């Protein structure tokens, strides 16, 4: 019968966790106490006291968990000495787990506590500059109305991008010598638009097209110039996403369809695209999240979006809390979409494993 492997090492982790927990207590007391003593306003002082209490509480919890890890490690060492290897391995594994929990908790507490203290430093100057509730309340309604422009620009642009990006992807993949000129044009356009920053495209179209006096085009509103610029830019990225999905379909699918008498376009429409589009939904959604955020760039051509509205308030009050409102609105609509993309990816992974 082969000998059992010894219990994994755990004492070093437990000791390191305990020392780190003690250091966190000292860190919370030193930094928090220093910042608290420098605060002169009553409201911030009460908030600082609350933060200190929670900092001490979480640090103490980390210390208790690390001591538990130390106890389990000592038990594992005693059990190993008496030859009870299986029990020793279980105690050592428990000790390592508690040690790692301590490290994670301490790291999170230290980061969050330090960030809060940064906001409270210099009598809350950062907080009053970026998170002053009064300017945020005053500007919220107008910024929310202007944020509707960002939403409209994103939705209309996404519709154009979906269609034009698909056309570009199909054009780039047309087979045979006859399709070479079209492939060349598609590749040139995609490479060009991916190379030029979106803000430059916005600037050129927003200020350039009105100067051309072209019929229909030059008389458009700044919002439509923004839609055109965003659609032209992001169609190139979406075309590559479509192309990756189409390329991932096994060649046998093409061969089977063509052998049944379907044309190239019929094969694409009925067999290839339905499969490819389902595969590229997560990256498409991620790209549309980026497009949604880039609608804030339209302020360079004078479109009254949420960011431009916030800048008016910021310039009149010499405070940037109104701009923070814009950031919060983008966060509020972006994070749920990001989680939705994660859910789709997890669902597809589960389906593939099944």
């Amino acid at each position: 019968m082969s000998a059992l492997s010894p219990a994994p090492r755990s004492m070093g982790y437990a000791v390191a966790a305990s020392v780190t927990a003690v250091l966190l207590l000292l860190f919370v007391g030193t930094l928090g106490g220093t910042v608290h003593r420098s605060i002169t306003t009553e409201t911030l002082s009460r908030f600082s006291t609350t933060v200190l209490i929670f900092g001490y509480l979480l640090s103490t919890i980390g210390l208790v968990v690390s001591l538990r890890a130390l106890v389990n490690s000592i038990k594992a060492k005693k059990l190993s000495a008496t030859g009870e290897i299986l029990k020793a391995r279980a105690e050592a594994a428990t000790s390592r787990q508690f040690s790692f929990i301590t490290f994670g908790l301490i790291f999170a507490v230290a980061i969050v506590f330090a960030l809060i203290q940064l906001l409270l430093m210099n009598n809350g100057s950062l907080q009053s500059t970026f998170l002053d509730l009064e300017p945020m309340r005053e500007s919220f309604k107008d910024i929310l109305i202007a944020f509707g422009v960002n939403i409209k620009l994103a939705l209309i642009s996404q519709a154009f991008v979906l269609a034009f990006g698909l056309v570009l992807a199909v054009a780039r993949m047309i087979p045979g010598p006859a399709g070479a000129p079209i492939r060349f044009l598609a590749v040139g356009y995609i490479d060009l638009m991916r190379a030029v920053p979106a803000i430059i495209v916005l600037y050129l179209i927003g200020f350039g097209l009105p100067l051309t006096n072209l019929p229909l085009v030059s008389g458009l509103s700044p919002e439509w110039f923004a839609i055109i610029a965003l659609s032209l830019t992001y169609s190139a990225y979406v075309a590559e996403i479509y192309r990756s999905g189409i390329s991932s379909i096994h060649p046998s699918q093409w061969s089977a369809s063509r052998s049944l008498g379907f044309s190239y376009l019929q094969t694409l429409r009925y067999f290839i695209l339905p499969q490819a589009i389902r595969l590229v939904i997560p990256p498409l959604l991620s790209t549309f999240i980026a497009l949604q955020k880039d609608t804030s760039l339209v302020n360079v051509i004078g479109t009254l979006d949420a960011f431009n509205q916030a800048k008016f308030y910021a310039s009149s009050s010499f405070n940037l809390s109104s701009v923070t409102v814009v950031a919060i609105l983008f966060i509020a609509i972006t994070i749920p979409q990001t989680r939705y993309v994660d859910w789709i990816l997890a669902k597809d992974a589960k389906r593939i494993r099944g």
Side-chain angles (χ1 to χ4, degrees):
M1 182 178 177
S2 59
L4 293 173
S5 59
R9 295 181 179 179
S10 59
M11 182 60 72
Y13 291 115
V15 171
S18 300
V19 172
T20 308
V22 172
L23 291 176
L24 178 63
L25 277 168
L26 295 175
F27 172 76
V28 168
T30 303
L31 179 61
T34 302
V35 173
H36 181 74
R37 286 190 294 271
S38 67
I39 295 174
T40 58
T41 59
E42 183 180 352
T43 303
L44 282 181
S45 180
R46 287 199 301 266
F47 179 72
S48 175
T49 302
T50 304
V51 172
L52 263 175
I53 292 172
F54 275 101
Y56 279 126
L57 178 62
L58 293 173
S59 302
T60 304
I61 292 174
L63 181 60
V64 171
V65 175
S66 69
L67 293 176
R68 175 67 186 275
L70 198 59
V71 170
N72 286 110
S73 181
I74 294 172
K75 287 182 180 179
K77 190 173 182 181
K78 291 180 179 179
L79 289 170
S80 295
T82 58
E84 299 182 73
I85 302 301
L86 290 177
K87 291 183 179 180
R89 289 170 61 179
E91 292 290 342
T94 303
S95 174
R96 288 163 64 96
Q97 184 180 18
F98 280 127
S99 296
F100 296 146
I101 290 173
T102 302
F103 289 135
L105 177 63
I106 288 172
F107 179 77
V109 171
I111 293 295
V112 173
F113 186 80
L115 289 175
I116 294 175
Q117 297 307 310
L118 182 64
L119 289 174
L120 294 174
M121 282 181 182
N122 197 20
N123 213 30
S125 60
L126 280 176
Q127 181 272 332
S128 61
T129 301
F130 298 105
L131 292 169
D132 193 334
L133 294 180
E134 188 60 31
M136 294 174 77
R137 280 195 297 265
E138 290 177 358
S139 62
F140 180 78
K141 182 178 178 180
D142 290 335
I143 291 175
L144 182 62
I145 294 172
F147 189 65
V149 175
N150 295 86
I151 300 297
K152 182 174 73 172
L153 294 179
L155 292 176
I156 297 175
S157 299
Q158 286 169 14
F160 286 127
V161 165
L162 279 173
F164 189 38
L166 181 58
V167 171
L168 287 171
V170 172
R172 183 168 182 175
M173 301 186 73
I174 292 179
I182 298 177
R183 289 198 304 271
F184 176 79
L185 290 175
V187 171
Y189 177 85
I190 291 171
D191 288 347
L192 176 66
M193 298 310 295
R194 293 172 73 192
V196 180
I199 193 170
I200 294 179
V201 178
L202 275 164
Y203 196 87
L204 291 174
I205 290 178
F207 292 111
L209 285 183
L211 299 176
T212 62
N213 293 321
L214 291 174
L216 299 178
V217 177
S218 59
L220 293 174
S221 66
E223 291 183 8
W224 276 104
F225 288 137
I227 290 170
I228 292 171
L230 291 172
S231 299
L232 291 176
T233 299
Y234 275 89
S235 293
Y237 294 97
V238 168
E240 289 299 278
I241 294 174
Y242 276 131
R243 187 170 71 93
S244 67
I246 295 172
S247 300
S248 67
I249 305 302
H250 198 274
S252 62
Q253 301 272 350
W254 291 89
S255 302
S257 175
R258 299 304 296 272
S259 67
L260 293 173
F262 290 94
S263 67
Y264 176 79
L265 291 179
Q266 287 176 326
T267 300
L268 267 176
R269 178 182 176 185
Y270 295 112
F271 299 98
I272 304 302
L273 286 180
Q275 301 177 72
I277 290 175
R278 190 171 73 173
L279 293 174
V280 300
I281 286 176
L284 278 178
L285 290 175
S286 297
T287 303
F288 288 153
I289 290 172
L291 187 156
Q292 185 176 274
K293 293 187 295 183
D294 275 355
T295 58
S296 62
L297 298 175
V298 301
N299 72 91
V300 301
I301 60 174
T303 304
L304 188 59
D305 70 323
F307 185 36
N308 249 342
Q309 187 69 66
K311 288 199 300 182
F312 293 148
Y313 276 96
S315 60
S316 62
S317 64
F318 300 100
N319 188 284
L320 295 179
S321 298
S322 58
V323 181
T324 304
V325 173
V326 182
I328 292 172
L329 290 174
F330 273 106
I331 290 170
I333 65 170
T334 299
I335 290 182
Q337 296 177 71
T338 305
R339 298 287 74 80
Y340 179 64
V341 172
D342 292 342
W343 178 78
I344 291 178
L345 291 172
K347 183 179 178 182
D348 287 343
K350 184 178 179 180
R351 178 178 56 83
I352 292 172
R353 288 195 301 268

